[in-house]
Amino acid sequence: MTTTIPNKEPQKIHPHKFAMWVAMGSIVMMFAGMTSAYIVKKNQSSWLQFDLPLIFWYSTGVILASSLTMYLASKAMKAREMSRYRTLITITAGLGLAFLVMQYLGFKDLEARDIAMIGPKSNSAVSFLFVITVLHMLHVLGGVIALVTLFARAFRSSVKNYSAVPVEVVGTYWHFVDALWIYLFLFYNWIG
Amino acid sequence: MSNEAVLHAHSDVATHDAHGDHSHEHHHHETFITKYVFSQDHKMIAKQFLITGMVWAVLGGLMSVLFRLQLGYPDATFPWLESILGKWAKGGHITPEAYYALVTTHGTVLVFFVLTAGLSGTFANFLIPLQIGARDMASPFMNMLSYWFFFGASIVMLSSMFVETGPFSGGWTAYPPLSALGDASPGSKTGMDLWIVSMALFVVSSLLGGLNYIATVLNMRTKGMSMTRLPLTIWALFFTAVLGVLSFPVLLSGFILLIFDRNFGTSFYLSDIFINGVGALPNEGGSAILFQHLFWFLGHPEVYIILLPAMGMVSEILSVNSRKPIFGYMAMIGSLFAIAILAFLVWAHHMFVTGLNPFLGSVFVLLTLLIAVPSAIKVFNWLTTLWRGNIRFTPGMLFAIGFVSLFISGGLTGIWLGNSALDIHLHDTYFVIAHFHIVMGVASMFGMFAGIYHWFPKMYGRYMNNTLAYMHFWITIAGAYMIFWPMHYEGLAGMPRRYYDYSIWESFKQFQDLNRFISLVAMIVFAAQFLFLFNFFYSIFKGRKLTTLNPWEANTLEWTTPIHPGHGNWVGEIPEVHRWAYDYGKDGKEFIQQTTPVGPDESHH
Ligand code: HEM
Ligand SMILES: [Cu+2]
């Protein structure tokens, strides 16, 4: 099987891509569980009102920008512009890291304002924000690691690998964690 | 995309066509380690799940014998208990702490490790590729990880039984505050830490497995195998995986919040608590009910995760051994679908007495009772499949029929419990114990036994012994009813579950003899399981050898593989499928395999 046989049947979705979609459904359920618990809890007694860290607005901008670079990266990959592709995924990973740092600074901000996130003095309102945000950060971190793996692969010259599947899988995931943050951000601001 | 491409983890799949010829043989370099330990062959992984599940079934069963000893003979002392349990049975009497630890671990292990991992882990792995015509799972590597996460969970759970303060003892549902406060009970300390770690690993294992099963069923079917030609086993395993993938993450959320309450001083679930010897806790504003919502949002789908694989296998085995097509194939799929949807909408029926708004309660009553409709459709279809069948009473068939009986008995008591007004009386009594052991515990065990007896020849190329199997069946079904039927009466009389000693309660003294009877039968039934275990392991090595490919004269694809299929399942091309799986007794033919092309003068089914 060395030649490319044209495929007459309608192309099914690649199993890895498909598995990624199912996994995203699973992650959605996890965050849905968290945010519903948040709503249930909010409607009970002693719920603290506080202002979100301002930096979350900027981190939102950063993660949005990273989605754009990710999109351009997979376009470059499909056009076989490998050096452009490598630059773009590096930028994407960098923006991802910047996002993580900014979230962390957001927690610092709360701390500076004496709003306890955990510990006996904490209020569930803040604890929820903290736990959910950390959980999301872990998912972004997973994406950054995946990007670094892609990056390493693109540099390994021994393998001439032009399959777009891994990039597409990682790209889908990246847009997903972006959308997830947008959802959480809207939730914190207008629902929570 | 070809199956080979994925099997060999080629990343360059673009050059493969959809159904290229796979005529070349597979020659993997296999060492003992890659073949039996870190295997990526779905059939070996299935056996790993099965045998680990069996180990847990024996351990969990033994635990129940130990706590039944306490319930049946609350005044007796058993010096030998002290020699095996040490300080947990001082003076030959199981301590209250040990009793609760045993009940909790029994529940956790049986629900998650035996009837989830042991059941769908085994049969989803074994049957999905074989029955849909695939060489392996979508990602064999993830599949292997799924087993090893389960193995890790098992080791951690096992180790929790040997820590100083004992395993977790707050019930399999792990409600806070017992699960959230180390000071609340001995089992809430290290035991609970290990319990959470173990369950987290288990959730990861389930998610990896489920992801794979879904991707495989939807993407890797052989040519001609449309969704409506799938055997019902596959449909059931598919819905099981969907339920798992959507509900386990919610449980994980609940556990994450629990971990924060335990270790980082947050107050998600805790409020206004005073512990003897510790004093008042600072936690304020939390809600223990919140955990119950998160738990039962998984917990109820979980019971169907346990049941659906059994339903699927029973449908298949009943049809094969009645020599008749399954009655109402599409209705069977539709009812599976309805059950899967409803499973997500009924969780609060476990919470009728938590102070739930009665109006909300009545909505959950309605949704809960709706489940009776698809359940009844399934029962009707099983019975009509049996009706006037040319029945072959193989051991697998007996267990399948036993499953139907148990499902009817236990489903009916579900309807009682589903009425919130009745549930106020019945909640947390032995009635609930009887209900779920019959409909879930024993019924799914029967599904599992049916599956093992039926597919053992495919797994090991040998038969199991029939005489032992018949003895196993009759003792188990008679025993199961003798154990759980009387519990309904105890529950109706208000006898609560999870008490250590009923003999000191005026209202429940009367049940002393009954409890002793139940304990006695439980021990006999436990002992009878060794008939099965012996049969299983003996037959692996010494059972009568298979001489034909298709011992049960069944239609499905797994029986077209060689007696000992290698990694890749079929030697040449994967066969093409031309018909559904249930052409039994059609046009005067005993059975027509799925691989047989439709003849020119064949009638429509
Ligand atoms: C007609 C169908 C069914 C109905 C209406 C129903 C209803 C209920 C209700 C209302 C309860 C809560 C009782 C209480 O705690 O007070 C319950 C408990 C339970 N049911 Fe069912 N059920 C049905 C079928 C099933 C099936 C098919 C399974 C499993 C395969 C199952 C497994 C369980 C379990 C495990 C519990 C108890 C969990 C615990 O508290 O430890 N039920 N059922
Ligand atoms: Cu339920």
Side-chain angles (χ1 to χ4, degrees), chain B residues 377-399:
Chain B
I377 293 176
K378 298 204 84 78
V379 168
F380 179 82
N381 288 354
W382 286 321
L383 295 179
T384 34
T385 302
L386 286 169
W387 178 250
R388 298 200 158 173
N390 182 10
I391 298 180
R392 296 177 177 173
F393 288 104
T394 61
M397 180 64 162
L398 284 180
F399 275 99

PDB file of all heavy atoms in Angstrom, chain B residues 377-399:
ATOM      1  N   ILE B 377     -40.896  -2.005  27.577  1.00  0.00           N
ATOM      2  CA  ILE B 377     -40.735  -2.399  26.171  1.00  0.00           C
ATOM      3  C   ILE B 377     -39.664  -3.475  26.066  1.00  0.00           C
ATOM      4  O   ILE B 377     -39.822  -4.479  25.375  1.00  0.00           O
ATOM      5  CB  ILE B 377     -40.355  -1.175  25.314  1.00  0.00           C
ATOM      6  CG1 ILE B 377     -41.533  -0.202  25.263  1.00  0.00           C
ATOM      7  CG2 ILE B 377     -39.941  -1.598  23.916  1.00  0.00           C
ATOM      8  CD1 ILE B 377     -41.240   1.080  24.526  1.00  0.00           C
ATOM      9  N   LYS B 378     -38.566  -3.269  26.770  1.00  0.00           N
ATOM     10  CA  LYS B 378     -37.477  -4.241  26.688  1.00  0.00           C
ATOM     11  C   LYS B 378     -37.926  -5.603  27.218  1.00  0.00           C
ATOM     12  O   LYS B 378     -37.684  -6.630  26.596  1.00  0.00           O
ATOM     13  CB  LYS B 378     -36.245  -3.749  27.459  1.00  0.00           C
ATOM     14  CG  LYS B 378     -35.675  -2.458  26.916  1.00  0.00           C
ATOM     15  CD  LYS B 378     -34.217  -2.302  27.255  1.00  0.00           C
ATOM     16  CE  LYS B 378     -33.352  -3.022  26.278  1.00  0.00           C
ATOM     17  NZ  LYS B 378     -33.170  -2.319  25.010  1.00  0.00           N
ATOM     18  N   VAL B 379     -38.577  -5.567  28.367  1.00  0.00           N
ATOM     19  CA  VAL B 379     -39.016  -6.846  28.945  1.00  0.00           C
ATOM     20  C   VAL B 379     -39.967  -7.554  27.987  1.00  0.00           C
ATOM     21  O   VAL B 379     -39.832  -8.748  27.712  1.00  0.00           O
ATOM     22  CB  VAL B 379     -39.705  -6.593  30.303  1.00  0.00           C
ATOM     23  CG1 VAL B 379     -40.413  -7.846  30.774  1.00  0.00           C
ATOM     24  CG2 VAL B 379     -38.673  -6.151  31.333  1.00  0.00           C
ATOM     25  N   PHE B 380     -40.904  -6.792  27.445  1.00  0.00           N
ATOM     26  CA  PHE B 380     -41.855  -7.384  26.508  1.00  0.00           C
ATOM     27  C   PHE B 380     -41.119  -8.036  25.338  1.00  0.00           C
ATOM     28  O   PHE B 380     -41.404  -9.156  24.933  1.00  0.00           O
ATOM     29  CB  PHE B 380     -42.803  -6.283  26.003  1.00  0.00           C
ATOM     30  CG  PHE B 380     -43.811  -6.771  25.013  1.00  0.00           C
ATOM     31  CD1 PHE B 380     -44.971  -7.393  25.438  1.00  0.00           C
ATOM     32  CD2 PHE B 380     -43.588  -6.625  23.639  1.00  0.00           C
ATOM     33  CE1 PHE B 380     -45.895  -7.869  24.528  1.00  0.00           C
ATOM     34  CE2 PHE B 380     -44.509  -7.088  22.726  1.00  0.00           C
ATOM     35  CZ  PHE B 380     -45.671  -7.708  23.171  1.00  0.00           C
ATOM     36  N   ASN B 381     -40.133  -7.327  24.806  1.00  0.00           N
ATOM     37  CA  ASN B 381     -39.413  -7.848  23.650  1.00  0.00           C
ATOM     38  C   ASN B 381     -38.574  -9.080  23.991  1.00  0.00           C
ATOM     39  O   ASN B 381     -38.428  -9.986  23.166  1.00  0.00           O
ATOM     40  CB  ASN B 381     -38.516  -6.765  23.048  1.00  0.00           C
ATOM     41  CG  ASN B 381     -39.337  -5.715  22.330  1.00  0.00           C
ATOM     42  OD1 ASN B 381     -40.555  -5.860  22.184  1.00  0.00           O
ATOM     43  ND2 ASN B 381     -38.699  -4.654  21.891  1.00  0.00           N
ATOM     44  N   TRP B 382     -38.030  -9.117  25.182  1.00  0.00           N
ATOM     45  CA  TRP B 382     -37.275 -10.322  25.560  1.00  0.00           C
ATOM     46  C   TRP B 382     -38.215 -11.516  25.674  1.00  0.00           C
ATOM     47  O   TRP B 382     -37.917 -12.604  25.203  1.00  0.00           O
ATOM     48  CB  TRP B 382     -36.553 -10.107  26.895  1.00  0.00           C
ATOM     49  CG  TRP B 382     -35.363  -9.211  26.803  1.00  0.00           C
ATOM     50  CD1 TRP B 382     -34.453  -9.176  25.776  1.00  0.00           C
ATOM     51  CD2 TRP B 382     -34.941  -8.222  27.747  1.00  0.00           C
ATOM     52  NE1 TRP B 382     -33.489  -8.227  26.031  1.00  0.00           N
ATOM     53  CE2 TRP B 382     -33.766  -7.629  27.235  1.00  0.00           C
ATOM     54  CE3 TRP B 382     -35.430  -7.781  28.979  1.00  0.00           C
ATOM     55  CZ2 TRP B 382     -33.081  -6.618  27.912  1.00  0.00           C
ATOM     56  CZ3 TRP B 382     -34.750  -6.795  29.651  1.00  0.00           C
ATOM     57  CH2 TRP B 382     -33.588  -6.210  29.124  1.00  0.00           C
ATOM     58  N   LEU B 383     -39.363 -11.255  26.293  1.00  0.00           N
ATOM     59  CA  LEU B 383     -40.289 -12.374  26.478  1.00  0.00           C
ATOM     60  C   LEU B 383     -40.823 -12.859  25.133  1.00  0.00           C
ATOM     61  O   LEU B 383     -40.955 -14.052  24.893  1.00  0.00           O
ATOM     62  CB  LEU B 383     -41.445 -11.968  27.401  1.00  0.00           C
ATOM     63  CG  LEU B 383     -41.007 -11.643  28.839  1.00  0.00           C
ATOM     64  CD1 LEU B 383     -42.201 -11.236  29.689  1.00  0.00           C
ATOM     65  CD2 LEU B 383     -40.295 -12.829  29.476  1.00  0.00           C
ATOM     66  N   THR B 384     -41.112 -11.915  24.228  1.00  0.00           N
ATOM     67  CA  THR B 384     -41.622 -12.349  22.925  1.00  0.00           C
ATOM     68  C   THR B 384     -40.528 -13.001  22.090  1.00  0.00           C
ATOM     69  O   THR B 384     -40.830 -13.799  21.210  1.00  0.00           O
ATOM     70  CB  THR B 384     -42.230 -11.172  22.150  1.00  0.00           C
ATOM     71  OG1 THR B 384     -41.498 -10.004  22.468  1.00  0.00           O
ATOM     72  CG2 THR B 384     -43.677 -10.972  22.512  1.00  0.00           C
ATOM     73  N   THR B 385     -39.272 -12.661  22.368  1.00  0.00           N
ATOM     74  CA  THR B 385     -38.198 -13.367  21.678  1.00  0.00           C
ATOM     75  C   THR B 385     -38.163 -14.825  22.142  1.00  0.00           C
ATOM     76  O   THR B 385     -37.967 -15.745  21.352  1.00  0.00           O
ATOM     77  CB  THR B 385     -36.841 -12.697  21.954  1.00  0.00           C
ATOM     78  OG1 THR B 385     -36.914 -11.338  21.541  1.00  0.00           O
ATOM     79  CG2 THR B 385     -35.719 -13.391  21.216  1.00  0.00           C
ATOM     80  N   LEU B 386     -38.372 -15.028  23.425  1.00  0.00           N
ATOM     81  CA  LEU B 386     -38.379 -16.398  23.961  1.00  0.00           C
ATOM     82  C   LEU B 386     -39.600 -17.186  23.482  1.00  0.00           C
ATOM     83  O   LEU B 386     -39.532 -18.390  23.273  1.00  0.00           O
ATOM     84  CB  LEU B 386     -38.412 -16.354  25.494  1.00  0.00           C
ATOM     85  CG  LEU B 386     -37.122 -15.961  26.188  1.00  0.00           C
ATOM     86  CD1 LEU B 386     -37.390 -15.707  27.668  1.00  0.00           C
ATOM     87  CD2 LEU B 386     -36.085 -17.052  26.027  1.00  0.00           C
ATOM     88  N   TRP B 387     -40.698 -16.471  23.315  1.00  0.00           N
ATOM     89  CA  TRP B 387     -41.993 -17.083  23.020  1.00  0.00           C
ATOM     90  C   TRP B 387     -41.902 -17.996  21.798  1.00  0.00           C
ATOM     91  O   TRP B 387     -41.513 -17.562  20.724  1.00  0.00           O
ATOM     92  CB  TRP B 387     -43.021 -15.968  22.804  1.00  0.00           C
ATOM     93  CG  TRP B 387     -44.400 -16.424  22.454  1.00  0.00           C
ATOM     94  CD1 TRP B 387     -45.015 -16.293  21.253  1.00  0.00           C
ATOM     95  CD2 TRP B 387     -45.326 -17.053  23.315  1.00  0.00           C
ATOM     96  NE1 TRP B 387     -46.265 -16.803  21.299  1.00  0.00           N
ATOM     97  CE2 TRP B 387     -46.501 -17.281  22.568  1.00  0.00           C
ATOM     98  CE3 TRP B 387     -45.293 -17.457  24.656  1.00  0.00           C
ATOM     99  CZ2 TRP B 387     -47.630 -17.901  23.103  1.00  0.00           C
ATOM    100  CZ3 TRP B 387     -46.419 -18.076  25.196  1.00  0.00           C
ATOM    101  CH2 TRP B 387     -47.563 -18.281  24.417  1.00  0.00           C
ATOM    102  N   ARG B 388     -42.234 -19.255  21.996  1.00  0.00           N
ATOM    103  CA  ARG B 388     -42.219 -20.238  20.926  1.00  0.00           C
ATOM    104  C   ARG B 388     -40.861 -20.371  20.261  1.00  0.00           C
ATOM    105  O   ARG B 388     -40.761 -20.746  19.091  1.00  0.00           O
ATOM    106  CB  ARG B 388     -43.248 -19.898  19.858  1.00  0.00           C
ATOM    107  CG  ARG B 388     -44.648 -19.913  20.415  1.00  0.00           C
ATOM    108  CD  ARG B 388     -45.601 -20.050  19.291  1.00  0.00           C
ATOM    109  NE  ARG B 388     -46.866 -20.579  19.756  1.00  0.00           N
ATOM    110  CZ  ARG B 388     -47.927 -20.668  18.973  1.00  0.00           C
ATOM    111  NH1 ARG B 388     -47.851 -20.285  17.727  1.00  0.00           N
ATOM    112  NH2 ARG B 388     -49.038 -21.164  19.448  1.00  0.00           N
ATOM    113  N   GLY B 389     -39.839 -20.022  21.009  1.00  0.00           N
ATOM    114  CA  GLY B 389     -38.501 -20.222  20.468  1.00  0.00           C
ATOM    115  C   GLY B 389     -38.121 -21.678  20.558  1.00  0.00           C
ATOM    116  O   GLY B 389     -38.716 -22.455  21.290  1.00  0.00           O
ATOM    117  N   ASN B 390     -37.090 -22.026  19.795  1.00  0.00           N
ATOM    118  CA  ASN B 390     -36.558 -23.379  19.851  1.00  0.00           C
ATOM    119  C   ASN B 390     -35.389 -23.309  20.831  1.00  0.00           C
ATOM    120  O   ASN B 390     -34.237 -23.281  20.448  1.00  0.00           O
ATOM    121  CB  ASN B 390     -36.122 -23.746  18.435  1.00  0.00           C
ATOM    122  CG  ASN B 390     -35.601 -25.140  18.366  1.00  0.00           C
ATOM    123  OD1 ASN B 390     -35.721 -25.902  19.316  1.00  0.00           O
ATOM    124  ND2 ASN B 390     -34.997 -25.471  17.243  1.00  0.00           N
ATOM    125  N   ILE B 391     -35.720 -23.242  22.127  1.00  0.00           N
ATOM    126  CA  ILE B 391     -34.742 -22.761  23.101  1.00  0.00           C
ATOM    127  C   ILE B 391     -33.649 -23.779  23.397  1.00  0.00           C
ATOM    128  O   ILE B 391     -33.922 -24.955  23.600  1.00  0.00           O
ATOM    129  CB  ILE B 391     -35.451 -22.354  24.413  1.00  0.00           C
ATOM    130  CG1 ILE B 391     -36.408 -21.194  24.102  1.00  0.00           C
ATOM    131  CG2 ILE B 391     -34.445 -21.934  25.467  1.00  0.00           C
ATOM    132  CD1 ILE B 391     -37.172 -20.692  25.280  1.00  0.00           C
ATOM    133  N   ARG B 392     -32.414 -23.287  23.380  1.00  0.00           N
ATOM    134  CA  ARG B 392     -31.282 -24.117  23.801  1.00  0.00           C
ATOM    135  C   ARG B 392     -30.848 -23.621  25.175  1.00  0.00           C
ATOM    136  O   ARG B 392     -30.357 -22.497  25.291  1.00  0.00           O
ATOM    137  CB  ARG B 392     -30.124 -23.943  22.829  1.00  0.00           C
ATOM    138  CG  ARG B 392     -30.435 -24.414  21.438  1.00  0.00           C
ATOM    139  CD  ARG B 392     -29.249 -24.125  20.554  1.00  0.00           C
ATOM    140  NE  ARG B 392     -29.498 -24.642  19.216  1.00  0.00           N
ATOM    141  CZ  ARG B 392     -28.690 -24.415  18.186  1.00  0.00           C
ATOM    142  NH1 ARG B 392     -27.615 -23.682  18.348  1.00  0.00           N
ATOM    143  NH2 ARG B 392     -28.969 -24.928  17.002  1.00  0.00           N
ATOM    144  N   PHE B 393     -31.010 -24.470  26.173  1.00  0.00           N
ATOM    145  CA  PHE B 393     -30.694 -24.012  27.524  1.00  0.00           C
ATOM    146  C   PHE B 393     -29.206 -24.136  27.830  1.00  0.00           C
ATOM    147  O   PHE B 393     -28.803 -24.926  28.662  1.00  0.00           O
ATOM    148  CB  PHE B 393     -31.547 -24.762  28.555  1.00  0.00           C
ATOM    149  CG  PHE B 393     -32.984 -24.345  28.521  1.00  0.00           C
ATOM    150  CD1 PHE B 393     -33.949 -25.151  27.932  1.00  0.00           C
ATOM    151  CD2 PHE B 393     -33.372 -23.134  29.072  1.00  0.00           C
ATOM    152  CE1 PHE B 393     -35.273 -24.759  27.889  1.00  0.00           C
ATOM    153  CE2 PHE B 393     -34.699 -22.735  29.038  1.00  0.00           C
ATOM    154  CZ  PHE B 393     -35.647 -23.546  28.440  1.00  0.00           C
ATOM    155  N   THR B 394     -28.415 -23.360  27.149  1.00  0.00           N
ATOM    156  CA  THR B 394     -26.992 -23.302  27.483  1.00  0.00           C
ATOM    157  C   THR B 394     -26.849 -22.515  28.783  1.00  0.00           C
ATOM    158  O   THR B 394     -27.760 -21.774  29.172  1.00  0.00           O
ATOM    159  CB  THR B 394     -26.213 -22.573  26.392  1.00  0.00           C
ATOM    160  OG1 THR B 394     -26.726 -21.238  26.311  1.00  0.00           O
ATOM    161  CG2 THR B 394     -26.355 -23.261  25.048  1.00  0.00           C
ATOM    162  N   PRO B 395     -25.704 -22.641  29.469  1.00  0.00           N
ATOM    163  CA  PRO B 395     -25.530 -21.844  30.687  1.00  0.00           C
ATOM    164  C   PRO B 395     -25.694 -20.351  30.433  1.00  0.00           C
ATOM    165  O   PRO B 395     -26.345 -19.648  31.214  1.00  0.00           O
ATOM    166  CB  PRO B 395     -24.103 -22.172  31.116  1.00  0.00           C
ATOM    167  CG  PRO B 395     -23.840 -23.523  30.559  1.00  0.00           C
ATOM    168  CD  PRO B 395     -24.589 -23.581  29.262  1.00  0.00           C
ATOM    169  N   GLY B 396     -25.158 -19.852  29.325  1.00  0.00           N
ATOM    170  CA  GLY B 396     -25.308 -18.437  29.012  1.00  0.00           C
ATOM    171  C   GLY B 396     -26.783 -18.067  28.916  1.00  0.00           C
ATOM    172  O   GLY B 396     -27.230 -17.036  29.424  1.00  0.00           O
ATOM    173  N   MET B 397     -27.560 -18.947  28.268  1.00  0.00           N
ATOM    174  CA  MET B 397     -28.988 -18.696  28.098  1.00  0.00           C
ATOM    175  C   MET B 397     -29.701 -18.676  29.442  1.00  0.00           C
ATOM    176  O   MET B 397     -30.550 -17.815  29.707  1.00  0.00           O
ATOM    177  CB  MET B 397     -29.568 -19.785  27.197  1.00  0.00           C
ATOM    178  CG  MET B 397     -31.042 -19.639  26.934  1.00  0.00           C
ATOM    179  SD  MET B 397     -31.366 -18.122  26.012  1.00  0.00           S
ATOM    180  CE  MET B 397     -33.009 -18.469  25.398  1.00  0.00           C
ATOM    181  N   LEU B 398     -29.352 -19.601  30.329  1.00  0.00           N
ATOM    182  CA  LEU B 398     -30.010 -19.625  31.638  1.00  0.00           C
ATOM    183  C   LEU B 398     -29.760 -18.313  32.375  1.00  0.00           C
ATOM    184  O   LEU B 398     -30.677 -17.723  32.947  1.00  0.00           O
ATOM    185  CB  LEU B 398     -29.489 -20.795  32.468  1.00  0.00           C
ATOM    186  CG  LEU B 398     -30.020 -22.165  32.080  1.00  0.00           C
ATOM    187  CD1 LEU B 398     -29.421 -23.227  32.984  1.00  0.00           C
ATOM    188  CD2 LEU B 398     -31.537 -22.194  32.179  1.00  0.00           C
ATOM    189  N   PHE B 399     -28.528 -17.867  32.348  1.00  0.00           N
ATOM    190  CA  PHE B 399     -28.240 -16.617  33.042  1.00  0.00           C
ATOM    191  C   PHE B 399     -28.958 -15.451  32.372  1.00  0.00           C
ATOM    192  O   PHE B 399     -29.383 -14.508  33.041  1.00  0.00           O
ATOM    193  CB  PHE B 399     -26.730 -16.372  33.118  1.00  0.00           C
ATOM    194  CG  PHE B 399     -26.089 -17.058  34.290  1.00  0.00           C
ATOM    195  CD1 PHE B 399     -25.439 -18.266  34.132  1.00  0.00           C
ATOM    196  CD2 PHE B 399     -26.164 -16.510  35.559  1.00  0.00           C
ATOM    197  CE1 PHE B 399     -24.869 -18.913  35.213  1.00  0.00           C
ATOM    198  CE2 PHE B 399     -25.598 -17.149  36.651  1.00  0.00           C
ATOM    199  CZ  PHE B 399     -24.940 -18.365  36.474  1.00  0.00           C
TER     200      PHE B 399
END
